[in-house]
Amino acid sequence: MRLITSHQNPDFDAFASMVAAACLHPGATIVIIGSLSQNIQDYLELYPLPAGISLYKESEVNIADISHMVVVDASDGRRLGKLRKAFGKVPTIVYDHHQDGVDEEVADRDIEHHYCNCGANSSFMVRLLQKQHIALEGWLATLLLCGIYEDTGHLSYSSTRPLDCYCAGDLIAAGADLKQVHQILSRDWKDADIHILSDLLKNFETFSIMGVSVGISHADFHIYVPDVSEMLSNVMGVRRCTLLIVFLRMEGRIYCIVRSTSMVGANDVAALFEGGGHHEAASATVKEMTLVQAMDFTRASLKEIISRSKRTRTIMSSPAITIESHKSTQEAYEQFSRDGVNCLPVVEPDGSLYGILSKNQCMKALFHGLGGRSVTSITDTDIQHIEADEPFSRAEHILLSGRQAMVPVVEAKRVTGVITRTDLLREYRHDTDETLPAQERARSAHRPRHVRKMLVEVMGRQAFAYLEEASQLANEMDIQVYLVGGIVRDLVLRVKNQDMDFVVAGDGISFGNRLAERLGGRIRVHERFNTGVIILPGDDFRIDVASSRNEYYDHPGALPNVSPGSIKRDLYRRDFSINAMAVSLNTFELIDYFGGVQDIRDKKIRVLHNLSFIEDPTRIFRAVRFEQRYSFQIGEQTIKLLRSARDLDLIQHISGHRIYEELRHMFLEQEPAKHMARLFELDLMRSIHPALGYDQKTMKLVESMEDLLVVSDFLRLEDVRRDALYCALILRTIKAEQIMALPILQELPQRDREIIAFGCSKAGMLLHELGRTGKLWQKLRLVKRHEEEVLLLAIVYGNQQASAHFLREYLRSYRTIHPILRGDELMALGVPRGHQVGDALLMLTAYIIGRDANRPDRREEENFVRRIVLRAVEQ
């Protein structure tokens, strides 16, 4: 007897796969283990299988009669009921889309495994049928499409793969009836279903273990209710957990059903009760335990299961900061101070591990005058290391033994990462509901937040399409890529932003080159910092790409020196916690090691470490900018550090160009007056010039300019340098020659420097001259001699004066009025060549302004020139 079977209580995916296997192996008999779901029974009543395909129950099969087996959607013999006895003892073929859950006891038996990476086993069977050129008739296409849709949540589950989508399309093209599929898969909610779902939601409890969001619930019903497992996706969606464990007591039996979208295999949990399944779904029948005992046993066992499931690769900090074995003890001490670590793996020139060096050992050696000795003389070589794919529990054992403060992680004999006690504590932090001091901010670091929908909302669909391309490429290259920078902050704040900064845990330039090619753009590389900018055609869109890195500063205010680093160290080098978050493009999960989300909730600006302002004093200005932009408050400790850096006069160590760039960013904010007031309040402007203290009149002028520029679109001002305007007002009490010599202005264009230095005085003189001039055309001549920035400064200085009102009208409308007649035509009418032509055009413009809505035509302009202009020019 040749038979085809699947796991106990087969779902639509398993049933459709068995029917497809019957087409691949004609004459074989389908054997059902357990019972078919109600959906499948309803389907068979409406659409009986064609002749030649027969169904048998497990109880109707004699094990001794089995000559060959075909098993679909299962690799674990423990899921085959009594048929397990024949599994592998007779020639067996397995078609499965899960590689986990293989029964080790039968590993050496006569089993031919066929595996395909797809979300539904039915997709695998479609490809097999197509390869054998077996026709996909309408009834079979409909059945297989039911299997694909059921197992992938209509192609929406995270386990869905491209193959599922392609096969679904092929089945529809082959004649699959979508209306039938909808009717078959639509759940007819009965009173028992509603009762159980209500109990599961009511009894639901959730907790986090080592970063895995676990949900446990239970329900009771007096009779057996089939297909309960189908409602578990509803529970996971409502309660937002990544590992769901449900206990159901029906007809005196207790069933355990597990679903997982995390790194923890559902089959590992079901194995507690000798059950089986695969990574995403598994089940078991609980024996010799009460419901309470089973739940308590599960809770007590979860930490060990999760610890085994978690790989060292997912915990380690990578790339590792190392020191080469030929370096001296003095050089090692300098690296400890620069990188801010307490232990370093010592590596040979080929990258292989030599040992571990601690900062304490290094300091003691220096105390004894051994700074010139090689680090190998004080390195601990009696250490343990682990491989990247070993269980996290092994690293845990080494660290808890107390001999090592760090465990090097080795791949292909090279040190690729490290695990420290800090990493261990970070994992333990999720095992408790108690909030420890300073823990609430960092607690969210590993709480999964899938932000795909939020990104579409913040970025728009076109920009997000670029992000999806980058995500697909990252997964194809099997490297970790992160979206970082202000866009992640604005994502949490729900503020529109399309800036894209990528950090690659590896070769950022290689990734950038491939992404640029994929998007049809080009990349410009900055070799020193190992960064690149992808420039896309058409829409002038740019993407910044960098390798994850660590930075250190030779002295306060210096540009950073760059070395490779992990994503955590890359984020740690940033200015504030709200800017030190990332989104993994591999999973679209938010990463928040330093509590940025909590600080946004608390409306707080907080530095990541106490030397932040000393390393880069420009952060002083950025702290004010972000505080005022978002109406946050600089944190208590951060404001103390800011004032300390100010008192040390560290701003003097920054280049003038960098200071002006920070000020320029503030001037371009929506409410620059608030930013300026805060700078004066913190007494930061004296670092630019000793005379720059708070001045009430200056602040009123800044506020007036802010109000004026709000209507800049109405005034059609496009090329006005707003930063120059605000800077001119801020520096108005300083002599012009001193302004021209200020270091912060030295790299500006000469025109901008002159506006800043002389703009206010020019504005005052312009107002005075306009007040003395009576004729409109002469006022126009005065105004045209000045830059638009001077006119705006004059409006602010003039306030409600008539001259200021005239300047407003000039910018609003007068400057856009031009006569029909041109200069050469005026000369043809008799206007002398030279400045008289310009004056004549201004007179003509004044005439047009005076006519208001009744604009003169060409003939009227010519008459005006003959009648008025020529006479005035002659005089």
Side-chain angles (χ1 to χ4, degrees), residues 213-226:
S213 177
V214 181
I216 294 183
S217 190
H218 63 90
D220 281 277
F221 205 67
H222 61 283
I223 61 172
Y224 179 80
V225 179

Side-chain angles (χ1 to χ4, degrees), residues 779-818:
K779 288 184 178 182
L780 293 174
R781 183 170 62 184
L782 275 174
V783 170
K784 283 185 175 293
R785 295 173 182 170
H786 295 282
E787 301 91 341
E788 289 179 346
E789 288 86 354
V790 173
L791 305 187
L792 291 168
L793 288 168
I795 292 173
V796 168
Y797 268 88
N799 198 2
Q800 299 301 319
Q801 294 179 24
S803 296
H805 177 71
F806 167 77
L807 291 171
R808 287 177 184 273
E809 285 301 311
Y810 172 79
L811 290 173
R812 186 179 68 84
S813 62
Y814 296 170
R815 68 193 177 106
T816 63
I817 295 174
H818 302 287

Side-chain angles (χ1 to χ4, degrees), residues 1-18:
M1 176 184 185
R2 294 185 300 151
L3 65 81
I4 299 169
T5 192
S6 185
H7 55 75
Q8 291 174 308
N9 304 322
D11 54 12
F12 243 114
D13 186 35
F15 180 71
S17 295
M18 286 190 282

Side-chain angles (χ1 to χ4, degrees), residues 1 68 220 250 263-264 410 531 538 554 574 683 718 720 823 872:
M1 176 184 185
H68 294 79
D220 281 277
M250 298 184 291
M263 70 185 75
V264 182
V410 175
T531 62
D554 291 329
R574 298 174 187 270
D683 203 20
E718 299 174 356
V720 168

Side-chain angles (χ1 to χ4, degrees), residues 499-667:
D499 292 341
M500 283 199 204
D501 292 315
F502 294 166
V503 165
V504 181
D507 188 347
I509 300 304
S510 174
F511 175 82
N513 278 316
R514 290 187 59 177
L515 182 60
E517 180 181 355
R518 196 159 180 156
L519 297 177
R522 58 188 176 86
I523 186 169
R524 187 172 65 237
V525 175
H526 194 307
E527 296 290 350
R528 177 184 174 187
F529 295 108
N530 197 27
T531 62
V533 179
I534 298 173
I535 302 169
L536 301 180
D539 53 5
D540 196 28
F541 204 88
R542 297 158 61 94
I543 301 173
D544 291 314
V545 181
S547 300
S548 55
R549 64 200 200 209
N550 184 32
E551 291 181 351
Y552 65 90
Y553 298 79
D554 291 329
H555 56 79
L559 289 173
N561 294 296
V562 175
S563 60
S566 65
I567 182 60
K568 184 177 180 182
R569 294 193 70 84
D570 187 281
L571 296 174
Y572 185 67
R573 68 182 177 81
R574 298 174 187 270
D575 48 12
F576 310 110
S577 60
I578 64 170
N579 295 331
M581 298 179 287
V583 172
S584 167
L585 292 189
N586 301 81
T587 62
F588 285 101
E589 287 185 10
L590 180 68
I591 296 171
D592 179 19
Y593 290 112
F594 308 109
V597 171
Q598 189 61 41
D599 282 338
I600 287 174
R601 290 174 182 157
D602 295 339
K603 297 188 173 184
K604 182 185 295 183
I605 303 297
R606 181 174 57 85
V607 292
L608 300 182
H609 58 86
N610 289 352
L611 296 177
S612 184
F613 292 128
I614 292 176
E615 287 184 345
D616 185 0
T618 60
R619 291 171 178 169
I620 293 172
F621 295 100
R622 291 205 291 276
V624 172
R625 174 153 55 96
F626 290 123
E627 177 192 49
Q628 298 305 309
R629 177 193 292 179
Y630 299 116
S631 298
F632 284 12
Q633 284 289 320
I634 300 176
E636 183 178 349
Q637 174 66 11
T638 299
I639 201 72
K640 289 179 182 177
L641 297 171
L642 184 151
R643 290 189 172 117
S644 176
R646 175 203 64 193
D647 295 342
L648 289 171
D649 206 17
L650 293 178
I651 295 176
Q652 296 300 322
H653 294 283
I654 313 171
S655 71
H657 172 69
R658 293 181 68 200
I659 295 176
Y660 186 82
E661 280 300 299
E662 293 299 332
L663 291 174
R664 187 177 67 84
H665 285 305
M666 290 189 187
F667 295 147

